[in-house]
Amino acid sequence: MGELDLATVRAFVAVADEGQFSAAAALLGISQQAVSKRIARLEKQLGRDLFDRVPTGATPTAAAARFLPNARSLLAVADEAVATVVRQPRPLRVAVLGERATEMRAMRYYLGRHPDRDTEIVLTNAFVTSRDALVAGRVDASFARAHGGPRALPARITAIPFHLDQLHLLVGKGHPLAGRAAVTLGELAGVTVWVPGTSVESEWTDYYRELSRYSGVVIDSSRRADMFPDIAGDRGPAPIAMVIEHIADSDTLATFSADGFESPWHPHIRRVPVVDPTPAYPHALLWDRTDPHPGIADLVAYFRDNYNRDIARDCWIPEIDRPLFLPA
């Protein structure tokens, strides 16, 4: 017995459902003669009569009744297989690292100007990062640094530069640097800057390690459990609002924050630019080039065109990121 022809199976189901060859022909958009030929071909292949011809049309035989449920299942699987390729795609899923992140603000701006783009934003965290979500196939694209971290990205993941996010210092009003209009990166050599988010191994933790090696700034990654007694050690960094409260009340603590990050407002916080050079976090847009979502092209085109490359030459970024953000 040869392989079943889906066209003959579809004709069989149509006749069984409609009870008439003429009605089945109208449903399938073919001639009644074509339906008859398909049924005859299927009957020959199965070696059984499938319909009794009666004055009112066609009645399924016992063999047809046994075959019908399987025929329906076969067509359903075939239709689903086709639909996975040609149907209207699901929303484009894009991962960002939190509500306050630069990439979240950028995506809101993008979607506000392109409301027709069917896009779903997925929030990630320090333990399951945007990169992790992309590699695992849970999202179609993510915003993250393309290098560093405990696991290198697979070769199938490609990247374009999205945004250089310039860093500045946040200090309380009593801190010695609070009155400065700016501070050079060289002046921070030996200065301790508290970055609690680096307590978890990640691509951003590696970024701050490289910044420390380059500039001599001391990065304090400690959780400072005395400041956050109610935060369990396995929950990752303390909430940013709590960090800001401690910075504002201290005359010794300082932390880095990025220009694009939506830091909580506090009346005692002072923002001090870092210059000569300005350290910048290299955010990239990442996606899997082996099976791209149909909507990825528009997203990539938009963020490629709007990368702030005009500031790149005045920024410090790790050497490994420079070929992507400052191509020769």
Side-chain angles (χ1 to χ4, degrees), residues 283-300:
H283 293 281
L285 173 61
L286 312 174
W287 72 98
D288 187 338
R289 65 173 176 269
T290 62
D291 187 23
H293 185 283
I296 194 68
D298 289 335
L299 191 76
V300 169

mmCIF file of all heavy atoms in Angstrom, residues 283-300:
data_model
loop_
_atom_site.group_PDB
_atom_site.id
_atom_site.type_symbol
_atom_site.label_atom_id
_atom_site.label_comp_id
_atom_site.label_asym_id
_atom_site.label_seq_id
_atom_site.Cartn_x
_atom_site.Cartn_y
_atom_site.Cartn_z
ATOM 1 N N HIS A 283 25.301 48.285 25.636
ATOM 2 C CA HIS A 283 24.097 47.484 25.412
ATOM 3 C C HIS A 283 24.020 47.083 23.937
ATOM 4 O O HIS A 283 24.129 47.933 23.052
ATOM 5 C CB HIS A 283 22.831 48.281 25.740
ATOM 6 C CG HIS A 283 22.658 48.624 27.174
ATOM 7 N ND1 HIS A 283 22.196 47.720 28.104
ATOM 8 C CD2 HIS A 283 22.877 49.785 27.847
ATOM 9 C CE1 HIS A 283 22.118 48.300 29.281
ATOM 10 N NE2 HIS A 283 22.537 49.553 29.158
ATOM 11 N N ALA A 284 23.778 45.812 23.685
ATOM 12 C CA ALA A 284 23.576 45.311 22.320
ATOM 13 C C ALA A 284 22.169 44.742 22.193
ATOM 14 O O ALA A 284 21.525 44.406 23.184
ATOM 15 C CB ALA A 284 24.607 44.232 21.986
ATOM 16 N N LEU A 285 21.695 44.658 20.965
ATOM 17 C CA LEU A 285 20.461 43.942 20.659
ATOM 18 C C LEU A 285 20.870 42.595 20.094
ATOM 19 O O LEU A 285 21.610 42.516 19.107
ATOM 20 C CB LEU A 285 19.615 44.714 19.651
ATOM 21 C CG LEU A 285 18.361 44.001 19.118
ATOM 22 C CD1 LEU A 285 17.396 43.671 20.256
ATOM 23 C CD2 LEU A 285 17.663 44.857 18.060
ATOM 24 N N LEU A 286 20.393 41.519 20.729
ATOM 25 C CA LEU A 286 20.793 40.161 20.369
ATOM 26 C C LEU A 286 19.595 39.386 19.825
ATOM 27 O O LEU A 286 18.470 39.565 20.293
ATOM 28 C CB LEU A 286 21.330 39.421 21.597
ATOM 29 C CG LEU A 286 22.365 40.142 22.464
ATOM 30 C CD1 LEU A 286 22.666 39.316 23.707
ATOM 31 C CD2 LEU A 286 23.633 40.396 21.684
ATOM 32 N N TRP A 287 19.847 38.497 18.868
ATOM 33 C CA TRP A 287 18.797 37.598 18.394
ATOM 34 C C TRP A 287 19.447 36.372 17.762
ATOM 35 O O TRP A 287 20.641 36.363 17.458
ATOM 36 C CB TRP A 287 17.858 38.291 17.405
ATOM 37 C CG TRP A 287 18.429 38.579 16.051
ATOM 38 C CD1 TRP A 287 18.283 37.848 14.913
ATOM 39 C CD2 TRP A 287 19.254 39.713 15.693
ATOM 40 N NE1 TRP A 287 18.950 38.441 13.866
ATOM 41 C CE2 TRP A 287 19.551 39.579 14.313
ATOM 42 C CE3 TRP A 287 19.748 40.820 16.388
ATOM 43 C CZ2 TRP A 287 20.331 40.511 13.636
ATOM 44 C CZ3 TRP A 287 20.535 41.731 15.713
ATOM 45 C CH2 TRP A 287 20.820 41.583 14.358
ATOM 46 N N ASP A 288 18.632 35.324 17.599
ATOM 47 C CA ASP A 288 19.088 34.058 17.024
ATOM 48 C C ASP A 288 18.907 34.121 15.509
ATOM 49 O O ASP A 288 17.786 34.154 15.012
ATOM 50 C CB ASP A 288 18.277 32.902 17.615
ATOM 51 C CG ASP A 288 18.804 31.531 17.195
ATOM 52 O OD1 ASP A 288 19.490 31.448 16.166
ATOM 53 O OD2 ASP A 288 18.507 30.555 17.900
ATOM 54 N N ARG A 289 20.008 34.138 14.793
ATOM 55 C CA ARG A 289 19.916 34.305 13.333
ATOM 56 C C ARG A 289 19.497 33.026 12.620
ATOM 57 O O ARG A 289 19.136 33.062 11.441
ATOM 58 C CB ARG A 289 21.250 34.782 12.764
ATOM 59 C CG ARG A 289 22.403 33.804 12.885
ATOM 60 C CD ARG A 289 23.631 34.315 12.139
ATOM 61 N NE ARG A 289 24.772 33.437 12.324
ATOM 62 C CZ ARG A 289 25.664 33.581 13.296
ATOM 63 N NH1 ARG A 289 25.518 34.569 14.168
ATOM 64 N NH2 ARG A 289 26.685 32.754 13.411
ATOM 65 N N THR A 290 19.517 31.874 13.312
ATOM 66 C CA THR A 290 19.159 30.623 12.647
ATOM 67 C C THR A 290 17.656 30.453 12.502
ATOM 68 O O THR A 290 17.204 29.695 11.652
ATOM 69 C CB THR A 290 19.737 29.416 13.411
ATOM 70 O OG1 THR A 290 19.167 29.373 14.735
ATOM 71 C CG2 THR A 290 21.248 29.513 13.510
ATOM 72 N N ASP A 291 16.864 31.111 13.330
ATOM 73 C CA ASP A 291 15.407 30.986 13.246
ATOM 74 C C ASP A 291 14.767 32.300 13.679
ATOM 75 O O ASP A 291 14.083 32.359 14.692
ATOM 76 C CB ASP A 291 14.918 29.833 14.127
ATOM 77 C CG ASP A 291 13.421 29.554 13.946
ATOM 78 O OD1 ASP A 291 12.881 29.909 12.882
ATOM 79 O OD2 ASP A 291 12.806 29.011 14.874
ATOM 80 N N PRO A 292 14.990 33.369 12.925
ATOM 81 C CA PRO A 292 14.505 34.682 13.360
ATOM 82 C C PRO A 292 12.992 34.815 13.240
ATOM 83 O O PRO A 292 12.385 34.294 12.309
ATOM 84 C CB PRO A 292 15.218 35.645 12.405
ATOM 85 C CG PRO A 292 15.462 34.833 11.172
ATOM 86 C CD PRO A 292 15.729 33.434 11.657
ATOM 87 N N HIS A 293 12.406 35.511 14.196
ATOM 88 C CA HIS A 293 10.982 35.851 14.125
ATOM 89 C C HIS A 293 10.774 36.844 12.978
ATOM 90 O O HIS A 293 11.624 37.708 12.735
ATOM 91 C CB HIS A 293 10.562 36.469 15.463
ATOM 92 C CG HIS A 293 9.106 36.749 15.584
ATOM 93 N ND1 HIS A 293 8.503 37.840 14.981
ATOM 94 C CD2 HIS A 293 8.115 36.093 16.246
ATOM 95 C CE1 HIS A 293 7.215 37.841 15.277
ATOM 96 N NE2 HIS A 293 6.957 36.798 16.034
ATOM 97 N N PRO A 294 9.641 36.761 12.270
ATOM 98 C CA PRO A 294 9.406 37.695 11.156
ATOM 99 C C PRO A 294 9.468 39.162 11.562
ATOM 100 O O PRO A 294 9.793 40.021 10.739
ATOM 101 C CB PRO A 294 8.001 37.311 10.675
ATOM 102 C CG PRO A 294 7.829 35.892 11.071
ATOM 103 C CD PRO A 294 8.569 35.733 12.366
ATOM 104 N N GLY A 295 9.172 39.452 12.826
ATOM 105 C CA GLY A 295 9.167 40.840 13.267
ATOM 106 C C GLY A 295 10.523 41.385 13.654
ATOM 107 O O GLY A 295 10.652 42.580 13.938
ATOM 108 N N ILE A 296 11.563 40.540 13.654
ATOM 109 C CA ILE A 296 12.866 40.994 14.141
ATOM 110 C C ILE A 296 13.497 42.018 13.213
ATOM 111 O O ILE A 296 14.231 42.911 13.652
ATOM 112 C CB ILE A 296 13.821 39.791 14.360
ATOM 113 C CG1 ILE A 296 15.049 40.209 15.180
ATOM 114 C CG2 ILE A 296 14.263 39.200 13.035
ATOM 115 C CD1 ILE A 296 14.749 40.566 16.592
ATOM 116 N N ALA A 297 13.224 41.930 11.921
ATOM 117 C CA ALA A 297 13.879 42.821 10.953
ATOM 118 C C ALA A 297 13.572 44.286 11.238
ATOM 119 O O ALA A 297 14.472 45.135 11.189
ATOM 120 C CB ALA A 297 13.462 42.450 9.535
ATOM 121 N N ASP A 298 12.306 44.599 11.542
ATOM 122 C CA ASP A 298 11.937 45.989 11.821
ATOM 123 C C ASP A 298 12.613 46.489 13.094
ATOM 124 O O ASP A 298 13.076 47.629 13.158
ATOM 125 C CB ASP A 298 10.418 46.116 11.966
ATOM 126 C CG ASP A 298 9.692 45.946 10.647
ATOM 127 O OD1 ASP A 298 10.311 46.194 9.599
ATOM 128 O OD2 ASP A 298 8.512 45.558 10.661
ATOM 129 N N LEU A 299 12.669 45.630 14.117
ATOM 130 C CA LEU A 299 13.292 46.014 15.376
ATOM 131 C C LEU A 299 14.781 46.287 15.179
ATOM 132 O O LEU A 299 15.316 47.297 15.655
ATOM 133 C CB LEU A 299 13.094 44.900 16.401
ATOM 134 C CG LEU A 299 13.460 45.239 17.853
ATOM 135 C CD1 LEU A 299 12.386 46.117 18.475
ATOM 136 C CD2 LEU A 299 13.622 43.957 18.677
ATOM 137 N N VAL A 300 15.445 45.402 14.465
ATOM 138 C CA VAL A 300 16.873 45.555 14.215
ATOM 139 C C VAL A 300 17.149 46.823 13.415
ATOM 140 O O VAL A 300 18.062 47.596 13.744
ATOM 141 C CB VAL A 300 17.423 44.314 13.480
ATOM 142 C CG1 VAL A 300 18.841 44.563 12.971
ATOM 143 C CG2 VAL A 300 17.409 43.104 14.412
#
